[in-house]
């Protein structure tokens, strides 16, 4: 885990200042890039970033007011990573706001519907209630944890084991759950699934989050990749 970096240094790490301003709109404030950003330079940042400064992302090449991007970064969990608002390319290591808890892995000898040739991996997530931190919607207020322990099931084949390894990375990066309002129950300040779908039923499919589903492993690999969790994370 990298030490906390100054927000303006994170912006400068992944965006380079443009000398010729393109004739385009800023994706964040929707003003022309040739007009200044509505955001002011932060205190103590010196002259480095001005409202007129336009930056270009190093990999995807999208352009924005650098102070607009700084404001977006400061609005998030300030983990040293950036995400291009145009194409969603992630720079650095995106982390989430999942509260403390446990992830455990078990083996079940039965097969899942649709995967008759292998046994089953069971993931058990347990998160106890606690107090929201500064990264959560209502810092200092409690959060509840409904329906824990929660289960996830995967086929114990090559692709399923790869998904499991990537889910472990996502867990370490706090991306599996978040604190917010449940779509299912409407309850606020509670722990909910984030953007990475799990199969929570093994032999039934009452919720629609069960098997068989021939597209599931590919879909969850795409959801992991959208959070910056890819096979590259396993090679390091
Ligand atoms: P949510 O309803 O806010 O939805 C967040 C994401 O989780 C969405 O992408 C949604 O598609 C997905 N999701 C919804 N239901 C799911 C399910 N059964 N299995 C797997 N993914 C599901 O998320 P939430 O508040 O975390 O609720 C998700 C599920 O958790 C509920 O449907 C319910 O099965 C369970 N839950 C149980 C209790 C309980 O007291 N037993 C309470 C709350 C939620
Ligand atoms: Zn802007
Ligand atoms: Zn981009």
């Amino acid at each position: 885990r990298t030490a906390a970096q100054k927000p303006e240094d994170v912006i400068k790490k992944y965006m380079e200042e443009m000398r010729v301003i393109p004739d385009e709109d800023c994706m964040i404030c929707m003003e022309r890039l040739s007009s200044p950003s509505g955001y002011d330079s932060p205190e103590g940042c010196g002259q480095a970033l001005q409202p007129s400064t336009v930056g270009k992302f190093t990999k995807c090449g999208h352009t924005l007011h650098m102070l607009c991007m700084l404001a977006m970064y400061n609005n998030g969990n300030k983990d040293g990573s950036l995400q291009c608002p145009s194409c969603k390319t992630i720079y650095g290591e995106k982390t989430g706001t999942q509260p403390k808890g446990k992830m455990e892995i078990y083996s079940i000898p039965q097969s899942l519907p649709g995967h008759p040739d292998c046994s089953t991996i069971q993931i058990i997530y347990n998160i106890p209630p606690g107090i929201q931190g500064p990264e959560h919607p209502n810092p200092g207020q409690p959060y509840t944890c409904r329906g824990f322990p929660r289960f996830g099931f995967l086929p114990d084949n090559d692709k399923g084991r790869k998904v499991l390894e990537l889910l472990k990375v996502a867990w370490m990066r706090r991306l599996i759950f978040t604190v917010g309002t449940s779509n299912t129950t409407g309850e606020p300040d509670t722990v909910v699934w984030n953007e990475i779908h799990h199969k929570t039923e093994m032999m039934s499919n009452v919720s629609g989050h069960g098997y068989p589903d021939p597209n599931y492993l590919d879909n969850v690999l795409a959801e992991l990749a959208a959070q910056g969790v890819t096979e590259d994370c396993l090679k390091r």
Side-chain angles (χ1 to χ4, degrees):
R1 194 157 287 224
T2 46
Q5 295 163 282
K6 282 174 75 178
E8 51 271 27
D9 291 341
V10 177
I11 304 299
K12 284 187 269 178
K13 183 170 174 188
Y14 299 119
M15 298 186 87
E16 53 203 41
E17 185 176 343
M18 298 192 81
R19 304 179 64 211
V20 179
I21 307 305
D23 190 22
E24 290 164 12
D25 295 343
C26 172
M27 265 290 294
I28 294 177
C29 69
M30 303 300 169
E31 294 293 333
R32 295 308 271 178
L33 288 172
S34 50
S35 324
S37 164
Y39 293 97
D40 288 327
S41 306
E43 275 176 53
C45 159
Q47 298 300 301
L49 297 184
Q50 296 294 320
S52 61
T53 311
V54 173
K56 177 178 167 171
F57 275 107
T58 51
K59 274 192 276 176
C60 65
H62 286 115
T63 50
L64 298 166
H65 292 120
M66 287 174 86
L67 286 183
C68 285
M69 193 60 224
L70 180 67
M72 182 175 269
Y73 177 77
N74 282 332
N75 221 8
N77 65 347
K78 301 192 206 74
D79 61 3
S81 78
L82 297 183
Q83 187 159 22
C84 172
S86 295
C87 68
K88 310 297 178 201
T89 295
I90 294 169
Y91 295 83
E93 202 172 281
K94 179 179 176 178
T95 61
T97 63
Q98 171 188 290
K100 279 196 170 46
K102 266 201 299 199
M103 175 188 193
E104 293 177 326
I105 319 297
Y106 295 91
S107 183
I108 297 181
Q110 287 97 304
S111 304
L112 291 165
H115 295 281
D117 301 329
C118 62
S119 57
T120 299
I121 299 164
Q122 181 186 32
I123 307 168
I124 304 186
Y125 295 109
N126 224 326
I127 297 182
I131 303 295
Q132 296 180 52
E135 72 276 36
H136 293 135
N138 293 300
Q141 294 296 113
Y143 55 83
T144 58
C145 299
R146 306 298 182 192
F148 285 88
R150 293 193 190 188
F151 305 144
F153 297 98
L154 294 168
D156 196 352
N157 57 23
D158 285 345
K159 213 183 227 183
R161 285 189 291 267
K162 181 166 104 182
V163 169
L164 174 64
E165 291 312 306
L166 296 175
L167 288 174
K168 289 180 190 171
V169 173
W171 171 264
M172 294 301 293
R173 295 184 184 178
R174 306 177 64 191
L175 295 167
I176 305 273
F177 295 95
T178 185
V179 174
T181 299
S182 168
N183 287 324
T184 307
T185 65
E187 185 184 17
D189 301 305
T190 192
V191 176
V192 294
W193 295 111
N194 200 15
E195 316 267 307
I196 301 168
H197 279 86
H198 283 64
K199 290 299 186 189
T200 53
E201 294 183 57
M202 181 175 170
M203 300 311 286
S204 56
N205 193 7
V206 176
S207 63
H209 299 277
Y211 289 92
D213 179 351
N215 301 319
Y216 174 62
L217 294 176
D218 287 326
N219 290 346
V220 72
L221 286 170
E223 290 175 341
L224 285 156
Q227 302 292 324
V229 180
T230 62
E231 253 181 296
D232 291 346
C233 308
L234 305 177
K235 287 173 190 149
R236 283 184 221 143

